[in-house]
Amino acid sequence: MAVRCREIFNIIEKLAPCHLAEKWDNTGLQAGNPGQVIDKALITLDVNIHVAREARDIGAGLILSHHPMLMAPVKSVSMDTPGGELLAFIIRNDITVYAAHTNLDAATGGVSDALARKLDLSELTVLQPSQSRYLKLAVFVPVGHDEKVRSSMAEAGAGWIGNYSSCFFFTRGTGTFKPAPGTRPFIGKTGELEQVEEVKVETIVPAYRLDAVLEAMQKAHPYEEVAYDLYQLENICTSSGLGRVGILPEPLPLQRFAEKVKAALGQDAVRFGGPPDIMVKRVAVCSGSGADFWPAALRAGADTLVTGDVKYHTAQDILAAGLNFIDAGHHGTEAVILPVLKDHLDDWCAKEKKNIVVVLSQINTNPFTYVLG
């Protein structure tokens, strides 16, 4: 069974919710038709004309990329520029493009976790927790209807704390109300004070899911007028965010660990800073351009930071602070997510009996080539 592009978008956004994206980012639909029916999708780190031609040649109606194709606002589309040529080619060939960028970096099971696992790190914690906004929702439900309301809210996205779902708290008590003329009360009579045994159902809701949770709650609730409270919270999400910190199976000299990183990520070369024989045990990783997170790595007790795009003066600052680093490249530290994303979509297709093919791009979009030897 073929699917519409928006169904794939929904699956990706369950893995990497859009609210996790940085404010400057442009995650989501880049070009094309969300309602387009496809039977093949192409996964890539970047979208360029070569990747677009590959998609056309294999019959992929959807390109799923990590890096957004469009970042700065587009003021004009000129066909004699690379960007204009790419956009025109995609539209002419009915290709839809979707990007999951910093939301996929930060998500549990996303780029940061994939990089940490690739390097055999354990006891993982988040380097820079997401600043996601949460609310507490408390709703008053007559006894016997609380489970239906709870399950409806859970299905809409309420009740998640880290990797634990369906986190709710129930308190029994007595509720009072007097139905006014013109009402149609579920319990009681118009003009008479009613006392009802009720359950206070409390849970946590991410702000971006609030509308959906409230809608689900009200549909499941038997009362004509639903009594509920919302509380602003200052909770910080510790299960998602940029970067991870973990422990190596056994300590390694920095140079040997750099060789391990090079092999694990399939890189022609990596750069490192620090004494070659210093022992590495606690490692922070941040995919892409994560060198600016070195103070967070230091606070987390890491002795070494693995990232990409380390600038000269930043490298000096890192070493002066007593932290080692390994620069494995922007491309090298992010490409680890591509097979993970393919497996995630393949599993969904098999479970839902969707007859679509998910393909990893064969185009190498890494702009750098090294001179070796």
Side-chain angles (χ1 to χ4, degrees):
M1 183 186 300
V3 301
R4 296 186 185 277
C5 289
R6 65 168 59 92
E7 293 182 70
I8 304 295
F9 302 168
N10 290 338
I11 296 306
I12 294 174
E13 289 171 12
K14 285 183 179 179
L15 170 66
C18 292
H19 77 278
L20 294 178
E22 297 294 304
K23 292 181 179 179
W24 51 262
D25 198 10
N26 185 34
T27 195
L29 179 68
Q30 304 291 295
N33 178 11
Q36 181 180 354
V37 175
I38 62 161
D39 56 18
K40 187 174 289 187
L42 181 69
I43 296 179
T44 180
L45 203 63
D46 308 278
V47 182
N48 58 28
I49 193 64
H50 305 293
V51 172
R53 287 171 181 158
E54 179 187 24
R56 177 201 60 189
D57 293 344
I58 67 172
L62 173 63
I63 297 176
L64 299 170
S65 70
H66 180 49
H67 293 135
M69 183 179 70
L70 302 172
M71 282 295 290
V74 177
K75 296 182 178 180
S76 66
V77 178
S78 176
M79 306 287 282
D80 62 354
T81 65
E85 178 192 11
L86 174 60
L87 193 55
F89 183 92
I90 285 169
I91 293 172
R92 285 172 176 167
N93 287 277
D94 294 323
I95 298 171
T96 297
V97 179
Y98 181 94
H101 191 208
T102 52
N103 54 323
L104 189 57
D105 287 328
T108 301
V111 186
S112 297
D113 281 323
L115 178 58
R117 292 193 198 100
K118 200 73 173 175
L119 302 183
D120 297 326
L121 301 182
S122 62
E123 301 179 34
L124 298 181
T125 57
V126 176
L127 178 63
Q128 183 73 32
S130 298
Q131 298 298 312
S132 301
R133 191 166 67 90
Y134 288 88
L135 299 98
K136 174 175 277 191
L137 170 60
V139 57
F140 301 87
V141 188
V143 171
H145 296 268
D146 43 294
E147 176 55 29
K148 180 180 179 182
V149 172
R150 183 209 65 79
S151 62
S152 295
M153 291 195 295
E155 289 176 7
W160 278 91
I161 301 178
N163 292 325
Y164 291 82
S165 63
S166 296
C167 299
F168 289 77
F169 191 81
F170 300 83
T171 309
R172 285 206 176 200
T174 301
T176 66
F177 54 86
K178 181 189 290 186
T183 59
R184 294 181 297 173
F186 177 73
I187 297 174
K189 296 180 180 179
T190 300
E192 296 183 7
L193 182 66
E194 187 69 32
Q195 293 190 358
V196 181
E197 188 177 5
E198 294 182 331
V199 179
K200 182 182 181 182
V201 182
E202 297 179 88
T203 190
I204 191 169
V205 183
Y208 80 102
R209 296 298 302 168
L210 181 61
D211 289 346
V213 170
L214 290 178
E215 182 179 0
M217 176 196 75
Q218 290 169 335
K219 284 184 177 179
H221 203 292
Y223 284 176
E224 184 178 22
E225 295 287 349
V226 180
Y228 65 91
D229 299 325
L230 285 172
Y231 305 89
Q232 294 281 358
L233 300 178
E234 295 184 2
N235 300 39
I236 294 176
C237 177
T238 58
S239 62
S240 62
L242 298 174
R244 298 292 183 268
V245 181
I247 306 295
L248 284 172
E250 59 182 64
L252 289 173
L254 179 58
Q255 183 163 340
R256 281 188 55 197
F257 181 53
E259 292 167 354
K260 174 185 175 73
V261 172
K262 174 178 174 290
L265 302 184
Q267 297 301 289
D268 292 331
V270 300
R271 303 185 297 171
F272 73 88
D277 57 351
I278 194 169
M279 300 304 289
V280 175
K281 178 62 175 178
R282 186 171 177 83
V283 178
V285 300
C286 191
S287 57
S289 299
D292 289 341
F293 287 95
W294 70 262
L298 207 60
R299 289 193 299 271
D303 51 62
T304 305
L305 171 65
V306 178
T307 187
D309 297 346
V310 179
K311 295 180 180 180
Y312 181 86
H313 292 293
T314 303
Q316 290 181 324
D317 292 340
I318 293 172
L319 295 178
L323 185 67
N324 313 306
F325 70 85
I326 297 174
D327 184 341
H330 195 121
H331 187 280
T333 55
E334 291 187 333
V336 291
I337 193 58
L338 302 182
V340 174
L341 191 55
K342 181 183 186 307
D343 289 344
H344 184 74
L345 291 174
D346 283 342
D347 290 344
W348 175 77
C349 290
K351 179 181 178 181
E352 299 297 324
K353 296 181 173 56
K354 302 292 186 179
N355 188 27
I356 67 170
V357 178
V358 181
V359 180
L360 290 178
S361 174
Q362 298 304 301
I363 304 297
N364 179 11
T365 62
N366 190 346
F368 300 108
T369 302
Y370 295 94
V371 177
L372 304 175

